[in-house]
Amino acid sequence: MEKKTTVSVDAELRAYTKKLHLIGTSTMMAVLVLTFCPALYIFIAYDSFPGWSTVAAIFGALAAHEFWTWVMEPVMYFPMIGIAGAYICFTTGNITRMRIPCAIAAQNAVNARNGTPKGDAASVFAMVASVVVNLAALFVVILFGNYLLRILPEAVKAAFNYTMPAVYGALLVMMLGIVSTLIGKKK
């Protein structure tokens, strides 16, 4: 009897994983296509194309900047978030600062370990909840953002000039941390 149950569970898990990959891959491909829609709109509506050399230069700069992220994030985070969590994270973004802490907190709350079905379920529920909260906050900002900007003091508005340097500084520190961790592990 026990062997039959194990085979049944394994078959169900394989079917679930297959369906998960189908839905996840389809969703990510749809997001990839939608990502290019604004550029295509500008190209078609305004007959404006910067040229393939400019496109290649921009892609090269982005690839050079994001290469380690593209390689390391899936390797580092997959054991914590599982298959479904990977699709959620790499579709919605904000992995390090929001999705992973939510997943870890949920796993700790239910006393689950990484890589177990219970741990994967807890992390998926937590990440979906973080996406919903993130979208709700974004919705409020989109609806009331102009009003908020009008009532903010000038000193606060002037502080927005430091947003981009702060973001790039945080990215630099994060990249240096990854590189130093990699160098430290080789020693």
Side-chain angles (χ1 to χ4, degrees), residues 34 52 62 77 80 85 107 127 135:
L34 290 173
W52 288 110
L62 287 172
Y77 298 143
M80 284 184 268
Q107 288 174 347
M127 286 184 280
L135 288 174

Side-chain angles (χ1 to χ4, degrees), residues 36-110:
F36 288 102
C37 285
L40 288 174
Y41 172 76
I42 291 171
F43 173 64
I44 293 167
Y46 297 103
D47 194 30
S48 176
F49 183 69
W52 288 110
S53 61
T54 304
V55 171
I58 291 170
F59 178 78
L62 287 172
H65 181 264
E66 293 293 328
F67 177 75
W68 286 110
T69 303
W70 294 342
V71 172
M72 293 306 295
E73 279 189 350
V75 173
M76 289 186 321
Y77 298 143
F78 185 78
M80 284 184 268
I81 58 178
I83 297 168
Y87 283 119
I88 293 168
C89 284
F90 297 120
T91 301
T92 61
N94 207 356
I95 300 168
T96 308
R97 301 281 181 243
M98 189 175 296
R99 310 293 176 241
I100 295 295
C102 288
I104 292 171
Q107 288 174 347
N108 289 339
V110 298

Side-chain angles (χ1 to χ4, degrees), residues 39 118 124 129 138 150 161 166:
K118 185 178 178 181
V124 166
L138 187 60
R150 276 188 258 130
N161 293 332

